[in-house]
Amino acid sequence: MKKSLFTMAALAMLAGCSLAPVYERPAQPVAPAFPNGDAYKGVPQAAADAKPVSQILWREYFADAKLRKVIELALVNNRDLRVSVLNIEKAKAQYNIDTAALLPKLSANVSQSASRTPSNMTGTGQSVINRQYNGGLVMSSYELDFFGKVRNQSEAGLQSYLGTEEARRTQQITLVSEVANAYLTLIADQQRLKLSLETVKSQQTSYDLSKKRFASGVVAGTDMYDAQTSVETARNDAAVYTAQVALDQNALALLVGSAVPDELLPTGELEEVTQLAAIPAGLPSDLLQSRPDVQEAERSLRAANANIGVARAAFFPSISLTASGGSASSTLSGLFKAGSSTWSFAPQINLPIFDGGVNRANLNIAKADRDISVAQYEKSVQTAFREVADALATRGTLDQRLSSSQALVEASQKSYTINEARYRQGADTYLNALVSQRALYTAQQALITTRLAKNSNAVTLYKVLGGGWQPELPPQR
């Protein structure tokens, strides 16, 4: 029996020819370099030896200590990320099942069988009870993998498992960027609320002055009503942004997966949140392959490639072995005594002859799945290229937009100061002061929006260039 088992193990070691196509990574269907038109001229250029973005830890990238703690909370509590982690465990278990098929399955078995023959069916005229006890090892239906069917199934399972790892990394990158952007949006709306409250206060003073002058007959009623419209507009904005700040906090809490402690809510300025150092762009061929979503698409392609080998193996004979060895006796006490050994060996060869075209159809399906995976991989590369190019184009123009917005605020402030002074001195109506005040208010709102855009773009660049998935997740609570 031992010799037979060793023989079967040797045959198993010899098996393993693979019918899967040799895997080759498809050529990237994108330009060899990112665009370099006018929109990209303002992109800061990093040193040639700068660390790749995919190796920059998010703890290093985000300067705000509160934001880093909020991100840590999200990595522990966010439910979408938790599902991604559980999907990894599920895929790992499935891979272990597929890998187990490469090895024989042995089981120990001890059994008893008993039967009674009635007296009218025996030659002695007396009933007979027969008992048999069996014990030993059983190997059931172990398939010799001569044509790589089982190995390719295992390879497909491995690539699916590794793909879930990449999906989790993509989920983490997305979560880090979403938390950062939600945090930035909350800061921006807090600043908009503060601006609207300050405007209510300043315009209330002008409105009170207009009412006094109107009561004294110094100015017409239009001045008073113009001043009132400015106050009411700012009051309306204050109510809107009060609600918006609450909505922003709710959105942040959903991403974090729990209520954000008050001490971690932002109170600073937008410029304090991120490190706005130059981010190396590099060549698409290097950058895009570091993105987990692109790697996930390639894992799916590798799995589809291995499934072709599984489908091809169905055209060839399969050999399965069933064997058992142990002891048998009519009494329990004699089960393992000398002379009671027993064994069986039952090899089976299955040769496909006619299946109505099922094997051919399965092979065509596997090839179609591979071609679909190629197209999906190419689309993921193209999408990544576009996301990086878009982020670079936005970054290249943001400094100019920010400079223009700041200059507009300064000019609007001077215009408003002059017109307000002329009105207070009685040299002009309130209309010009109102127009310049609205222009200043709009310019200040636009400056907040531009600063938010610059910080959000820094987060987006970090995301699309593959940063944010290191280090590994903290342990689950």
Side-chain angles (χ1 to χ4, degrees):
M1 175 59 189
K2 291 183 178 180
K3 184 176 180 180
S4 299
L5 290 175
F6 280 126
T7 301
M8 289 183 286
L11 289 173
M13 293 292 292
L14 292 174
C17 157
S18 176
L19 298 176
V22 176
Y23 175 77
E24 294 183 4
R25 177 184 293 170
Q28 292 189 356
V30 294
F34 291 112
N36 57 0
D38 292 341
Y40 306 90
K41 290 181 179 179
V43 177
Q45 298 298 316
D49 59 347
K51 183 189 294 187
V53 176
S54 60
Q55 297 179 16
I56 300 176
L57 308 184
W58 60 263
R59 288 186 175 88
E60 299 174 356
Y61 186 71
F62 294 103
D64 188 280
K66 290 183 178 180
L67 174 57
R68 289 197 296 268
K69 291 180 180 180
V70 172
I71 292 175
E72 288 176 358
L73 286 175
L75 293 179
V76 174
N77 297 318
N78 181 268
R79 298 312 191 267
D80 290 333
L81 190 59
R82 190 172 295 179
V83 169
S84 294
V85 173
L86 294 174
N87 281 334
I88 292 175
E89 297 301 320
K90 177 181 177 181
K92 182 179 180 180
Q94 182 60 53
Y95 169 61
N96 289 337
I97 292 174
D98 294 334
T99 303
L102 293 169
L103 302 173
K105 293 180 178 61
L106 297 177
S107 60
N109 180 278
V110 177
S111 63
Q112 175 204 359
S113 62
S115 63
R116 179 182 181 279
T117 303
S119 58
N120 59 2
M121 295 182 65
T122 63
T124 63
Q126 296 182 351
S127 62
V128 177
I129 297 178
N130 295 312
R131 299 181 184 274
Q132 182 175 343
Y133 298 88
N134 295 279
L137 296 177
V138 178
M139 182 182 72
S140 58
S141 300
Y142 171 59
E143 182 175 349
L144 296 179
D145 197 23
F146 283 112
F147 301 102
K149 174 185 175 182
V150 178
R151 291 182 183 274
N152 281 315
Q153 286 175 335
S154 177
E155 174 66 15
L158 173 62
Q159 296 303 326
S160 297
Y161 162 58
L162 295 176
T164 59
E165 281 275 11
E166 302 298 346
R168 197 273 295 163
R169 292 174 179 174
T170 299
Q171 183 68 37
Q172 180 169 326
I173 289 176
T174 301
L175 177 60
V176 169
S177 64
E178 286 180 345
V179 170
N181 278 322
Y183 194 86
L184 290 169
T185 300
L186 176 56
I187 294 177
D189 285 335
Q190 286 175 337
Q191 292 182 350
R192 292 185 178 110
L193 174 59
K194 179 182 177 182
L195 175 62
S196 63
L197 292 174
E198 290 173 348
T199 302
V200 169
K201 184 178 179 180
S202 65
Q203 292 308 300
Q204 185 67 48
T205 302
S206 297
Y207 176 50
D208 292 341
L209 177 60
S210 297
K211 285 197 299 183
K212 290 179 181 180
R213 289 188 172 185
F214 174 71
S216 302
V218 177
V219 298
T222 54
D223 283 358
M224 181 184 67
Y225 295 129
D226 285 342
Q228 184 180 7
T229 61
S230 179
V231 172
E232 298 304 329
T233 298
R235 285 180 58 195
N236 178 76
D237 286 351
V240 169
Y241 289 122
T242 298
Q244 190 58 53
V245 166
L247 296 179
D248 293 341
Q249 291 176 352
N250 293 339
L252 186 59
L254 177 61
L255 289 171
V256 171
S258 63
V260 180
D262 291 341
E263 63 270 17
L264 296 184
L265 292 175
T267 55
E269 300 293 327
L270 285 168
E271 290 79 6
E272 301 172 358
V273 176
T274 58
Q275 301 281 8
L276 294 179
I279 299 179
L283 298 176
S285 58
D286 298 326
L287 291 171
L288 301 184
Q289 286 302 322
S290 67
R291 286 182 37 146
D293 58 334
V294 174
Q295 295 183 24
E296 180 187 0
E298 185 171 6
R299 295 295 183 187
S300 296
L301 175 56
R302 286 180 176 273
N305 194 74
N307 284 330
I308 293 179
V310 176
R312 285 177 173 173
F315 288 89
F316 294 86
S318 62
I319 301 176
S320 60
L321 306 177
T322 299
S324 65
S327 179
S329 174
S330 59
T331 62
L332 182 60
S333 59
L335 182 59
F336 294 105
K337 289 185 178 180
S340 63
S341 63
T342 179
W343 60 270
S344 67
F345 178 59
Q348 181 179 358
I349 299 177
N350 179 36
L351 179 64
I353 297 176
F354 177 75
D355 62 3
V358 172
N359 286 341
R360 174 60 60 183
N362 286 334
L363 178 58
N364 290 336
I365 291 172
K367 289 181 177 180
D369 286 341
R370 190 268 315 275
D371 294 341
I372 291 172
S373 295
V374 169
Q376 291 173 335
Y377 169 78
E378 292 174 340
K379 179 61 180 295
S380 69
V381 172
Q382 291 175 338
T383 299
F385 183 91
R386 188 238 169 122
E387 289 177 350
V388 175
D390 286 352
L392 291 174
T394 302
R395 179 65 185 88
T397 57
L398 273 170
D399 285 342
Q400 182 179 354
R401 288 172 54 191
L402 186 59
S403 175
S404 176
S405 294
Q406 289 172 333
L408 181 59
V409 169
E410 292 172 3
S412 299
Q413 181 66 62
K414 291 176 181 178
S415 174
Y416 174 63
T417 300
I418 293 172
N419 285 295
E420 176 73 6
R422 286 175 58 83
Y423 170 69
R424 289 180 179 275
Q425 294 169 3
D428 201 352
T429 65
Y430 190 72
L431 179 59
N432 289 332
L434 176 63
V435 171
S436 58
Q437 184 275 328
R438 288 177 176 173
L440 173 60
Y441 184 66
T442 301
Q444 290 170 326
Q445 293 278 13
L447 179 58
I448 294 173
T449 300
T450 304
R451 286 173 176 166
L452 174 61
K454 184 170 183 177
N455 281 271
S456 294
N457 175 256
V459 175
T460 299
L461 268 174
Y462 184 58
K463 171 189 173 183
V464 299
L465 291 173
W469 66 267
Q470 294 177 326
E472 294 302 321
L473 285 171
Q476 293 292 319
R477 289 180 177 176

